[in-house]
Amino acid sequence: MINENTRQINPTDIENSELNELNDPDQHQPIFVESESTLDRLRQDPRIAVVDQCRQQQRALLELVPAVDAELLDEPARWVYYPWRRSLVHLLGPVAFNRLRLDRNRNLISAEEQRRLSRLRIGVVGLSVGHAIAHNLAVEGLCGEIRLTDFDELELANLNRVPGTVFDLGLNKAVVAARRIAEIDPYLRVRIDRLGAVQESIDQFLTGLDVVVEECDSLDAKVLVREAARARRLPVLMTTGDRGLLDVERFDLEPARPILHGLLGDIAAPDLAGLSSKDKVPHVLRILDAPQLSARMAASLVEVGKTLTTWPQLAAEVVLGATVVANAVRRIGLGEPMPSGRVRVDVADALDRIGDPLANPATPAPAITAPAGTAAPAGLADILADAASRAPSGGNIQPWHIEATDNRISLRLATKYTTAMDVGYRGSAVALGAAAFNARVAAAAHGLTGQVHWSRGDEGTPLFGIAEFSPGDAPELAELYEPMLARETNRLRGTSAPIDADVLDGLRSAAREQGGELSILHDRAQIETAAGILAEADRIRYLTPTLHREMMSELRWPGDPDPDAGIDVTTLGLDPADLVVLDILRRPEVMAKLADWNAGAALGEDTYERVTSSSALAVVSVRGRRLTDYALGGSAVEAVWVGAQRHGLAVQPVSPAFLYAHDDNDRQGLSPGHADALRDLQYDFRRLTGTERDESQALVLRLSYAPRPTIRSRRRARAGSTPQYG
């Protein structure tokens, strides 16, 4: 009763039967031709069409990304004969065939998921609606074996929803479906049963299956299938062609679950077999959940037997049901949540709620530039505090508390603004050091000098600095006042024109004057190596939930609250297409999928392109590992930044996730799933930049020649002041 779908052809099939047996009207099995003599006879037979696109398939296989293994490329091709079409087709071998045919499934279905799903054995009972379902399962590669059963023959009235043709009329519906699947994938194992859901064959049909899809018209057959499936602890799926109704019965998880959710009570299949059509109506309506039927379907049921021959079904609803079943099969096959129950996927309802995207257009990003009405700092205390607050900080978090008088400034590290990347508040210490440098520059411009004395505080304030200023001259600092006020982050892509050696030497001197060191990569090979390291570190940052969440929280989109901190997306220098991609990348569930697949190579592309398009990469470091050392490094960072901008260079910080990590514990805290990778990346980067063992890297700066940005980051207002920009 159950037939396999593949076999090999023998010369006698051709010579003695003259294709009569091979062209049996019920034939549904593709035949793999192994004999060269048989192959020659088939090719020479004028009644047989030969389709040979194997070379094109092999070329397409070569173009796949990632590149396929040589073993796959060397897999022998196969000749397949389709008796019902009298056609001979040349195809890739089974592994290569499936790799190429299912390539467009990735990453909607990952390669590993596809392998797991290919081991499923699925039975489809009822091949009207079931035909579309079986087709979907085969096309998506959701099983390695599919069994089909139906006693009925295809009629003209079936062609409003069954994807057969007039050439299939009079054939068994299981045969029609099996042929269609064979023409999609001759390697997929298909078995058919022409008896349908009957007591004599249902046990054999279900034995060894993983999932059962039931689409019978007969009510007693529905019950029979479920009774047998429940006995074997098999999940049963059913879709009904009205409002996308899907029923899921997980007898594999709930072996005592009542069939059809208990809607029929305790009635058994034999009890239903003897009922008249009229007596079955109440049971059918309970299964269909009559109050939830669409108005058209409910009204149609009233007319069945009067103005309608039987209940109506539309091809669109059948295809929708096949889509829903395919999704449910994927969930079951991959062990994802798919409980017993019922759900409607109502297209009509969704279309009733269609919305016009132009009704609420996205607000264009405002140009964040200092408004004309912004008041200038009043008095020396405000000048000092204003200068300090213009310092850069990771993600523009501004991790400081600033108090100033006319001859004194106090800087305290505000721990409430820290992030996971700010390991041990080291990044915050760098920001405080930059703020201290700015305050000293402002003081010098107003005839005052003084040094900042750094101290380690308590848990609430792990670092604070105090500077007492007195009259004095510091012309080198004073001349930096206007450039310091104009300092900005320039994220625009520029040119990689070389930087004069004198300029680079000046930047190194600026770092040393503040107690730091500056390593500059300007060789193209070194820059490309650094770009690869930084891009991979950014990929890890995207794929680590905590780091990704904090990175996205730093971005300010049009209409977002709290625009006085964080980074306005319009400062990123992205074109509209890239902004759309960024909007996708901020979704945590997208990153979770990429992490599951160990994918996301594109996540570091923007970093790679920006770094490789730069003139140089500058790494500021400082001796020591204490927060006070990092504060000195921050002053060196600001000195280099202001100096680079004075020479017409665009400056953008590039913060790899490993920047402030000292040991394996730090890296484990940053990204538990990628700690080893971060260790290797950090080692490679420090070696590339010549950073010594006792040095700490304060910040990485990308230097290029680019237009001035039109938007500057805002600053939170201090008590009694207006928002600042910098």
Side-chain angles (χ1 to χ4, degrees), residues 5 82 91 111 129 268 374 401 407 429 435 451 459 472 524 587 631 646 658 684:
N5 79 311
Y82 290 90
L91 297 172
V129 173
T374 299
H401 180 76
N407 63 352
Q451 293 294 324
E459 186 176 339
R524 299 316 305 173
R587 293 170 54 185
R646 286 185 76 191
F658 56 70
D684 292 342

Side-chain angles (χ1 to χ4, degrees), residues 33 38-54 78-82 85-91:
V33 184
T38 302
L39 181 61
D40 289 340
R41 285 181 174 275
L42 289 170
R43 283 169 159 171
Q44 294 168 11
D45 192 320
R47 297 169 295 176
I48 295 176
V50 178
V51 179
D52 189 354
Q53 294 285 311
C54 201
R78 305 289 297 275
W79 284 95
V80 186
Y81 180 64
Y82 290 90
R85 284 192 175 270
R86 290 196 175 184
S87 295
L88 182 67
V89 185
H90 200 193
L91 297 172

Side-chain angles (χ1 to χ4, degrees), residues 4-270:
E4 303 292 343
N5 79 311
T6 61
R7 62 190 178 93
Q8 295 181 4
I9 194 169
N10 296 314
T12 55
D13 291 328
I14 303 297
E15 296 168 359
N16 299 334
S17 300
E18 296 183 344
L19 301 178
N20 289 331
E21 186 270 334
L22 294 179
N23 294 303
D24 185 324
D26 281 346
Q27 179 60 257
H28 60 277
Q29 301 172 357
I31 301 169
F32 290 90
V33 184
E34 304 295 345
S35 165
E36 285 294 332
S37 61
T38 302
L39 181 61
D40 289 340
R41 285 181 174 275
L42 289 170
R43 283 169 159 171
Q44 294 168 11
D45 192 320
R47 297 169 295 176
I48 295 176
V50 178
V51 179
D52 189 354
Q53 294 285 311
C54 201
R55 288 186 181 274
Q56 290 87 333
Q57 296 165 29
Q58 290 167 337
R59 285 198 296 269
L61 192 67
L62 281 169
E63 294 170 0
L64 293 183
V65 177
V68 300
D69 297 335
E71 182 179 352
L72 203 62
L73 295 174
D74 295 337
E75 184 182 27
R78 305 289 297 275
W79 284 95
V80 186
Y81 180 64
Y82 290 90
W84 58 91
R85 284 192 175 270
R86 290 196 175 184
S87 295
L88 182 67
V89 185
H90 200 193
L91 297 172
L92 294 174
V95 180
F97 179 90
N98 278 284
R99 175 67 177 87
L100 180 58
R101 188 179 81 80
L102 300 175
D103 182 69
R104 293 292 294 273
N105 284 11
R106 300 180 307 130
N107 282 328
L108 300 179
I109 303 174
S110 72
E112 174 56 29
E113 289 171 338
Q114 199 82 64
R115 282 190 288 271
R116 290 172 61 186
L117 292 168
S118 69
R119 295 193 287 267
L120 288 180
R121 293 161 297 181
I122 302 176
V124 181
V125 185
L127 273 306
S128 289
V129 173
H131 185 134
I133 292 172
H135 173 259
N136 254 25
L137 297 175
V139 168
E140 288 193 14
L142 302 186
C143 56
E145 177 184 326
I146 190 164
R147 299 182 195 173
L148 311 172
T149 184
D150 199 312
F151 70 91
D152 205 3
E153 295 178 348
L154 190 69
E155 300 174 351
L156 184 59
N158 299 139
L159 293 185
N160 78 314
R161 63 196 185 282
V162 177
T165 72
V166 294
F167 297 100
D168 301 317
L169 295 178
L171 294 177
N172 177 271
K173 289 179 180 177
V175 170
V176 175
R179 286 183 174 184
R180 190 177 187 209
I181 292 170
E183 291 178 9
I184 294 166
D185 184 353
Y187 299 109
L188 179 61
R189 190 181 187 197
V190 182
R191 305 172 69 185
I192 71 167
D193 176 356
R194 295 179 178 83
L195 296 180
V198 294
Q199 191 71 53
E200 295 78 13
S201 62
I202 194 64
D203 289 339
Q204 183 183 359
F205 183 82
L206 295 182
T207 298
L209 291 181
D210 297 300
V211 181
V212 181
V213 181
E214 183 278 305
E215 296 296 340
C216 302
D217 291 336
S218 172
L219 189 57
D220 53 315
K222 289 181 177 295
V223 174
L224 173 66
V225 169
R226 283 166 176 78
E227 289 175 339
R230 184 172 62 178
R232 288 161 181 76
R233 301 188 65 166
L234 299 177
V236 177
L237 304 174
M238 177 184 72
T239 180
T240 305
D242 182 63
R243 297 184 62 197
L245 180 64
L246 173 72
D247 280 283
V248 181
E249 295 168 270
R250 295 300 302 268
F251 297 126
D252 54 327
L253 305 179
E254 305 169 80
R257 183 179 180 83
I259 63 172
L260 286 164
H261 317 299
L263 295 172
L264 291 180
D266 295 329
I267 197 167

